[in-house]
Amino acid sequence: MLEQQLVNALTLGSVYALFSLGFTLVFGVLEVINLSHGAMFMAGSFAALTVVTRLKAPLAVGILAAMLVSGLLGLAIDALILKRLRARHAPHLIPMIATIGATTVLTSAAQGLFGVEVQRFPDELLPTREFIFGSVHVRALELAIVGIAFLLMTTLFLVLRHTRQGRALRAIAESPKAAALLGINVEGLFLATSFTAAALGGVAGLLIGLNFNSVTPLMGQPILHKGIAVVILGGMGDIRGALFGGLFLGFAEVLSKAYLSSQMGDAVAFGLLFLILLVRPAGLFGRVLERKA
Amino acid sequence: MEAFADFWATYSTLIFTVGIHALLALSLWLTLSCGLLSLANAAFMGIGAYTAALLTLHLHWPFPMVLVAGALAPAAVALVIGAPTLRLSGVYLAMATLAFGEVTRILVLNLEITGGPEGLNGIPLLTTWWHILLILAAAGFALARLRRSRMGRAFEAIREDEVAARMMGIDVEGHKLAAFTLGAILAGLAGALNAHSTFFISPREYGFENAVDILTMTILGGISSLIGPVLGATILTLLPELLRFLHAYRLAVNGLILIGVVLFLPTGLWDSRRLRQLVGAWRTRREGKP
């Protein structure tokens, strides 16, 4: 039935949007396709799981742990790898290849530390309440997921729009050189962007981990591909585009799985992505950018 | 002789894999030599593998014909998707080819004829060591000739500066399509050989990870000569075997290598110019000249 599917689609779509927001932020500011964003997603999920099961901390602490661990990993990748490549003015594809290497390292480390089997959050920690609106059952968990995702996204929008740092960041996105001439601490904001984006990715990982109650070292790969689809759908580096693209992909995927074919849902997303790239390389909602790279 | 037989029984699969990976790395070298970063080569390999395996299993074609078909099927696909896709450049092309690879993988995963997630079983083991060696040598020879040809120089010009190449009267679109399609032929051949040396193929072997593996091999070896990709493929295929004691962590080494090469050896391990300089410096020192 349609209403129930729409609830699922909204839940999934808001997490896709949250994930893609960080991905597109890094592209907009650093001009790097950061393929380690999926690993941040996975790391956030494992960080929260570890804190919750080993330290018996409440779920709220788990969310903070996800943000912190993923954020620091993102920061480390930027400081250790991307920063050097920026200093060398390496062509666009080089940092992308380096982030593939970082992903391999992190995934392999997670497999070594946690094993390859699916891990689950303890049931007693998850909110069990269900709200019933007419014929639609909404789990409290789903409400929380949508709530957290939108809370974080709104915060990011407000920060980018109204704070000094946000304006500085947008200036960098236009032109890092001009921003540096205006006395903006470009390197510092690059690092801050990498931290924020990775932290958002980590929370998205935790939310998906909770929603399906499954955490594995390889969970970052499919979402990374979807993040790429979303970002291209919305226009690379376009923050609002990531929000709409994420929701759109959530709906497209859930509805095509429900009404077309359960396995072909993923193909729909990528088929769409492929077509959009051919017709409008700047994205569905994106202005027609000059093609960089 | 017995020692050799033992060695062969243990390591023949590994040696086959080295050869097939070398062929794949060369296929990506070809696309990269025209400045195209394609993540579609794993999918082309898959198309070649499935085409070849299906022809052998259902139509019982002779092996040489199967190999030709395995090379031509992905080439046809590359021609069709190349025309619109290759208008994109840089990261957009990488993303589009990634999306194409995913669509292919999901299709193969869900189609009836490809056996779905279980893949195809019981493919006869027709590939022998000399097939691989012969094809690898032929590919190496053809590519070496190509590099020095008009077409190879056009590829290089396009890679260095597309606008300048166009100003020189080079047909940029045509050459890009040629590089993309020729790359698909090599990848398809590798796939067809692989299918007939492993008994079994499944969609899992042709996904994003494999596209990344091919890229890693090529970048590690370096694209300034043909030796680079072959060297990269050999190292990255043998290394996990040597690192078995690291268990789950052994793939991390691949990642670290990729990062290390990108950071410290941007031109890859085998950079002919750097090697010449090294040799030159060594000679000067030995002859005691300043």
Side-chain angles (χ1 to χ4, degrees):
Chain A
M1 53 204 221
L2 184 63
E3 297 89 346
Q4 195 67 52
Q5 298 295 356
L6 290 180
V7 173
N8 296 344
L10 181 66
T11 314
L12 209 56
S14 58
V15 182
Y16 286 170
L18 183 63
F19 178 81
S20 312
L21 212 58
F23 192 55
T24 210
L25 188 67
V26 170
F27 184 78
V29 177
L30 281 80
E31 291 196 8
V32 168
I33 304 254
N34 183 4
L35 292 183
S36 69
H37 203 53
M40 303 298 115
F41 178 88
M42 178 272 296
S45 217
F46 271 110
L49 184 72
T50 310
V51 169
V52 166
T53 52
R54 299 267 166 85
L55 307 178
K56 309 279 179 235
L59 212 48
V61 179
I63 297 178
L64 289 180
M67 290 182 86
L68 197 66
V69 169
S70 295
L72 288 177
L73 283 174
L75 195 67
I77 291 176
D78 192 295
L80 295 176
I81 305 172
L82 300 181
K83 197 174 167 189
R84 291 162 194 245
L85 296 176
R86 280 200 291 275
R88 204 170 77 200
H89 298 289
H92 284 63
L93 296 173
I94 301 298
M96 184 178 102
I97 293 170
T99 57
I100 294 176
T103 306
T104 316
V105 173
L106 289 174
T107 312
S108 170
Q111 282 173 337
L113 287 172
F114 302 101
V116 288
E117 294 84 21
V118 173
Q119 312 229 5
R120 297 187 191 288
F121 286 92
D123 283 331
E124 62 272 18
L125 271 175
L126 303 176
T128 47
R129 281 191 61 185
E130 263 196 2
F131 302 95
I132 299 172
F133 305 100
S135 61
V136 185
H137 293 248
V138 182
R139 289 184 293 158
L141 183 63
E142 288 171 318
L143 277 184
I145 289 173
V146 176
I148 291 171
F150 274 90
L151 180 72
L152 288 173
M153 289 192 281
T154 320
T155 314
L156 183 71
F157 282 129
L158 291 178
V159 168
L160 285 177
R161 196 100 234 129
H162 296 296
T163 66
R164 208 182 150 72
Q165 280 74 23
R167 277 196 292 272
L169 216 55
R170 282 185 287 143
I172 295 177
E174 287 296 324
S175 160
K177 248 184 212 154
L181 286 175
L182 290 171
I184 293 172
N185 178 2
V186 176
E187 270 304 318
L189 279 172
F190 277 166
L191 289 171
T193 304
S194 292
F195 180 87
T196 314
L200 293 179
V203 178
L206 168 60
L207 295 182
I208 283 280
L210 285 172
N211 192 34
F212 298 113
N213 203 0
S214 136
V215 178
T216 76
L218 294 176
M219 67 192 285
Q221 210 54 259
I223 186 97
L224 177 68
H225 296 168
K226 283 171 192 167
I228 292 169
V230 166
V231 166
I232 286 172
L233 213 65
M236 309 268 266
D238 188 324
I239 303 278
R240 264 173 313 172
L243 173 61
F244 291 121
L247 290 173
F248 181 79
L249 184 67
F251 280 90
E253 190 183 309
V254 168
L255 294 181
S256 58
K257 269 187 185 158
Y259 296 105
L260 290 176
S261 138
S262 61
Q263 271 103 46
M264 288 294 198
D266 291 333
V268 170
F270 293 108
L272 211 62
L273 161 64
F274 189 60
L275 282 182
I276 286 169
L277 267 174
L278 299 187
V279 186
R280 279 191 65 107
L284 269 192
F285 314 106
R287 343 163 238 156
V288 181
L289 301 165
E290 69 165 314
R291 266 186 248 153
K292 292 171 178 169
Chain B
M1 208 57 217
E2 200 172 309
F4 178 77
D6 278 352
F7 171 83
W8 187 248
T10 320
Y11 292 108
S12 62
T13 330
L14 191 62
I15 293 167
F16 277 30
T17 315
V18 169
I20 285 161
H21 281 169
L23 204 53
L24 283 170
L26 285 178
S27 87
L28 189 65
W29 175 88
L30 186 56
T31 24
L32 283 172
S33 77
C34 192
L36 305 166
L37 176 62
S38 157
L39 293 172
N41 285 31
F44 288 144
M45 178 196 186
I47 296 174
Y50 272 94
T51 309
L54 287 171
L55 286 175
T56 305
L57 286 174
H58 295 304
L59 301 179
H60 309 291
W61 280 22
F63 192 48
M65 299 263 293
V66 165
L67 286 182
V68 171
L72 290 184
V77 177
L79 270 180
V80 172
I81 69 156
T85 316
L86 295 173
R87 285 181 306 156
L88 304 168
S89 59
V91 288
Y92 290 96
L93 177 67
M95 296 302 113
T97 49
L98 187 154
F100 163 74
E102 279 298 293
V103 174
T104 311
R105 190 182 60 86
I106 295 167
L107 277 179
V108 169
L109 201 59
N110 289 295
L111 285 178
E112 196 80 11
I113 188 166
T114 53
E118 282 93 48
L120 294 174
N121 243 317
I123 305 162
L125 302 173
L126 298 174
T127 308
T128 60
W129 63 271
W130 63 266
H131 286 133
I132 296 180
L133 195 64
L134 187 71
I135 290 177
L136 193 59
F141 178 71
L143 289 180
R145 298 280 302 176
L146 180 83
R147 278 190 84 182
R148 305 266 168 254
S149 73
R150 202 182 165 83
M151 193 185 230
R153 306 231 190 259
F155 286 170
E156 208 177 321
I158 295 171
R159 186 185 69 210
E160 292 301 324
D161 192 330
E162 209 177 300
V163 179
R166 204 185 294 275
M167 299 282 282
M168 302 290 289
I170 294 172
D171 173 11
V172 173
E173 283 72 27
H175 279 95
K176 279 185 173 178
L177 193 57
F180 194 60
T181 311
L182 290 173
I185 288 183
L186 285 183
L189 262 179
L193 287 170
N194 188 44
H196 292 86
S197 68
T198 54
F199 188 69
F200 155 78
I201 52 175
S202 80
R204 209 171 313 145
E205 294 155 53
Y206 310 107
F208 175 70
E209 288 76 17
N210 308 85
V212 167
D213 284 346
I214 303 173
L215 180 66
T216 313
M217 291 169 195
T218 318
I219 299 283
L220 168 68
I223 59 166
S224 64
S225 79
L226 289 168
I227 299 171
V230 176
L231 182 70
T234 313
I235 293 177
L236 283 183
T237 316
L238 296 182
L239 200 59
E241 298 301 316
L242 299 175
L243 295 173
R244 277 196 180 279
F245 64 92
L246 288 174
H247 302 291
Y249 294 100
R250 96 195 129 116
L251 278 179
V253 176
N254 278 15
L256 287 174
I257 290 178
L258 188 56
I259 296 173
V261 167
V262 163
L263 283 181
F264 305 113
L265 288 173
T267 48
L269 284 178
W270 190 276
D271 177 351
S272 18
R273 193 183 303 165
R274 188 173 56 221
L275 286 175
R276 267 200 300 277
Q277 276 167 2
L278 280 177
V279 170
W282 180 72
R283 273 208 190 124
T284 347
R285 199 180 311 150
R286 217 176 54 149
E287 287 161 17
K289 283 180 197 157

